[in-house]
Amino acid sequence: MEIGAAIRRKIVYLAKQKTKKYSKVLVYHDIHDDIKYTSMSTSINQFTRHINIIRDMGFEIVKNITEPENQIQITFDDAYLGTYNNFFIIERLNVPITIFVITSYLNNVYPYINHEQLNFLNKSSLVGIGSHTHSHRKLNILSRKNLLFELRKSKQTLEDLLSVKITNLCYPEGKFSRKVIKIATDLGYDKQFSLIPGRYDKKLFKNVQRRSLVQHADDKEFENILMGGDNILEKWYMFKHYSS
């Protein structure tokens, strides 16, 4: 059961916080111009408006958040092809991003980034890479054996391919549990990114980061999310995504 887009937008409008500008992590899935690879994609024009709003409101866009206030981190889940094809807009706007990669899709699975394209993106100082597991299975329902495989295989594949340490994990479909957190932490995933909205400094669990989904937000909704308007949805998203 989902919250309808119109209802969610109305809630966010009414719940806007008029206090401090707390640091937040934002979630996108892809960006597009003429070719749209997923219904979750954000147009280049809309993405550009979002970036301008962030900066006009006095936030700094950073690769990794280091302060409790005034910083925004931008993430892209799944590594869709549009992120590669339209990387010029990331460079033009000078926006650091983190891309969470499904490693089994790197072998020329359409419409996702392949090995060579990921290598190209990884060479940019604007890009950080994280794991989105090996095959995008819901982690909270896996056996320990399958969970270990998904997390180990993805981490090793990315580290071998890119020669970088992979310590960031994004839960597929946002699904996680205490077992997932524990095993991922033991494997070296120091930061685990959820889909639970809220302030960056107000962690759900020790290694679990909050993120706000903004890919289809209009200008007003986006401004309100930056000011904490989606925080009120925390319990709903916890009910949807977390199992003890």
Side-chain angles (χ1 to χ4, degrees), residues 25-32 38 40-43 47 50-51 73-80 82-84 86-87 89-90 93 95-102 113 121 126-132 170 193 211 213-215:
V25 184
L26 307 183
V27 185
Y28 295 88
H29 278 82
D30 202 15
I31 47 177
H32 68 270
T38 170
M40 297 181 290
S41 185
T42 305
S43 72
F47 182 73
H50 283 183
I51 299 306
Q73 181 178 351
I74 292 175
T75 64
F76 283 85
D77 290 6
D78 301 340
Y80 281 102
T83 312
Y84 172 80
N86 297 293
F87 189 64
I89 195 65
I90 301 296
L93 294 169
V95 178
I97 62 173
T98 300
I99 303 173
F100 290 107
V101 180
I102 306 164
I113 292 168
L121 292 174
L126 292 173
V127 177
I129 304 297
S131 166
H132 204 23
C170 172
F193 291 78
R211 295 192 301 166
L213 190 65
V214 296
Q215 60 202 20

Side-chain angles (χ1 to χ4, degrees), residues 29-141:
H29 278 82
D30 202 15
I31 47 177
H32 68 270
D33 190 3
D34 296 330
I35 302 175
K36 187 175 182 180
Y37 294 105
T38 170
S39 61
M40 297 181 290
S41 185
T42 305
S43 72
I44 284 176
N45 288 339
Q46 186 178 19
F47 182 73
T48 300
R49 289 200 305 274
H50 283 183
I51 299 306
N52 290 336
I53 289 170
I54 290 170
R55 289 172 170 159
D56 288 345
M57 291 178 66
F59 288 96
E60 177 189 12
I61 303 173
V62 297
K63 201 169 186 179
N64 294 289
I65 292 174
T66 58
E67 301 294 336
E69 297 176 26
N70 301 317
Q71 292 186 337
I72 296 293
Q73 181 178 351
I74 292 175
T75 64
F76 283 85
D77 290 6
D78 301 340
Y80 281 102
L81 194 53
T83 312
Y84 172 80
N85 288 343
N86 297 293
F87 189 64
F88 71 89
I89 195 65
I90 301 296
E91 294 180 305
R92 183 183 300 168
L93 294 169
N94 194 31
V95 178
I97 62 173
T98 300
I99 303 173
F100 290 107
V101 180
I102 306 164
T103 50
S104 66
Y105 293 0
L106 287 171
N107 191 24
N108 294 308
V109 175
Y110 184 84
Y112 299 92
I113 292 168
N114 63 28
H115 291 87
E116 292 77 16
Q117 293 162 339
L118 185 63
N119 255 318
F120 171 83
L121 292 174
N122 182 59
K123 291 175 183 177
S124 170
S125 62
L126 292 173
V127 177
I129 304 297
S131 166
H132 204 23
T133 74
H134 184 61
S135 56
H136 203 260
R137 300 174 69 185
K138 297 176 185 178
L139 299 180
N140 64 325
I141 60 173

Side-chain angles (χ1 to χ4, degrees), residues 166-184:
I166 299 297
T167 58
N168 290 348
L169 168 69
C170 172
Y171 306 131
E173 297 186 32
K175 306 292 187 180
F176 69 112
S177 65
R178 288 190 181 275
K179 180 173 75 172
V180 171
I181 297 169
K182 175 67 166 59
I183 291 176

Side-chain angles (χ1 to χ4, degrees), residues 64 100 129-131 151 155 159 165-171 180-194 200 203 205-210:
N64 294 289
F100 290 107
I129 304 297
S131 166
L151 298 180
K155 196 174 195 295
E159 290 183 344
K165 194 72 174 174
I166 299 297
T167 58
N168 290 348
L169 168 69
C170 172
Y171 306 131
V180 171
I181 297 169
K182 175 67 166 59
I183 291 176
T185 300
D186 290 345
L187 291 175
Y189 289 107
D190 298 332
K191 287 187 179 180
Q192 301 169 33
F193 291 78
S194 71
Y200 178 85
K203 291 182 173 55
F205 302 95
K206 182 180 178 181
N207 292 338
V208 181
Q209 313 297 321
R210 298 171 183 268

